[in-house]
Amino acid sequence: VDIVLVLQGTVIDCASRGELRVLEHAVIGVDADGRIAFREAEHLETLHPGGSVTLRSGKTVPLSAKCTIKQLPARGFVVPGMVDTHTHAPQYAFVGLGYELQLLEWLTTYTFPSEAKFNDPKYAARICRNAVGRTMRHGTTSCVWFATIHTDAAVQLGRIAANLGQRAFVGKVNMDRNSPEFYVESTAQSLAETERFVAAMLA
């Protein structure tokens, strides 16, 4: 295992539901694939690139010569990333607006017009980068994203999330009724475009 990053400091996590752990003087080793290779508390030793870490099991883990050793500040800590299981990327264009409206009024006033704009790839890319970037800056490292009925915009959303390092499930929205004429697709279009979306995401 090639350890390329070691974080040293306080780690806060939940080993099980209802249990909060605070691991002091912890080390977290991250390998070249971005996976956590080890995590252990009570390491007061000084670590160096090209050196090694000896775990309580007795196993010695070598550190890459280019390993980054990052010491957290005294009051800093590391926590697991947040998981958002229901997020609409196009709605970041009007986040915080329309709370005075009922759902159908809100959809008509904000959601449908904004989502219809996702037929413009440049507009879609800008909003998607903003949405993914904002969620990541606030600690959301995994997300279930809703896109729009536009296949190419949905594919863009998936690629933007991947390029920015966010684990994501992305779905193309299918809507053949109960929406305005300017933002609707036929059932046949929906089926065909969903197949195209899946093929593009798997490519």
Side-chain angles (χ1 to χ4, degrees):
V1 178
D2 192 13
I3 303 300
V4 297
L5 171 66
V6 174
L7 302 176
Q8 291 184 285
T10 301
V11 174
I12 301 174
D13 68 7
C14 296
S16 62
R17 180 175 287 188
E19 178 188 1
L20 181 69
R21 294 192 308 182
V22 179
L23 307 177
E24 296 182 344
H25 307 294
V27 289
I28 297 178
V30 181
D31 68 19
D33 292 325
R35 294 186 175 90
I36 294 175
F38 58 84
R39 178 193 59 197
E40 197 169 83
E42 302 306 328
H43 279 267
L44 297 172
E45 71 271 27
T46 301
L47 301 177
H48 303 283
S52 63
V53 176
T54 301
L55 304 177
R56 283 195 296 276
S57 65
K59 179 181 179 182
T60 298
V61 181
L63 306 179
S64 164
K66 295 183 179 180
C67 182
T68 299
I69 313 291
K70 183 168 179 59
Q71 184 73 44
L72 299 178
R75 299 184 70 172
F77 56 88
V78 173
V79 296
M82 305 296 175
V83 178
D84 191 328
T85 60
H86 187 126
T87 311
H88 292 259
Q91 294 177 10
Y92 274 74
F94 53 92
V95 67
L97 299 178
Y99 284 113
E100 75 282 3
L101 301 176
Q102 294 297 312
L103 177 59
L104 290 179
E105 294 177 292
W106 180 75
L107 289 170
T108 302
T109 304
Y110 293 104
T111 305
F112 294 144
S114 180
E115 295 196 3
K117 293 179 185 177
F118 266 54
N119 67 343
D120 177 352
K122 290 183 180 178
Y123 176 83
R126 180 169 61 83
I127 300 301
C128 289
R129 276 193 298 271
N130 179 44
V132 175
R134 184 180 297 188
T135 55
M136 289 192 68
R137 285 192 299 276
H138 290 87
T140 302
T141 55
S142 300
C143 210
V144 177
W145 286 109
F146 289 77
T148 64
I149 65 173
H150 308 99
T151 301
D152 295 328
V155 171
Q156 260 192 136
L157 174 57
R159 290 178 178 161
I160 287 168
N163 290 337
L164 293 179
Q166 186 177 64
R167 291 178 177 87
F169 286 97
V170 176
K172 174 200 171 300
V173 170
N174 298 323
M175 193 153 51
D176 61 359
R177 67 188 69 190
N178 299 327
S179 59
E181 288 186 11
F182 63 82
Y183 185 52
V184 70
E185 59 189 348
S186 70
T187 303
Q189 285 174 320
S190 183
L191 288 169
E193 288 301 295
T194 298
E195 289 182 2
R196 186 165 77 86
F197 167 71
V198 172
M201 292 303 291
L202 293 176

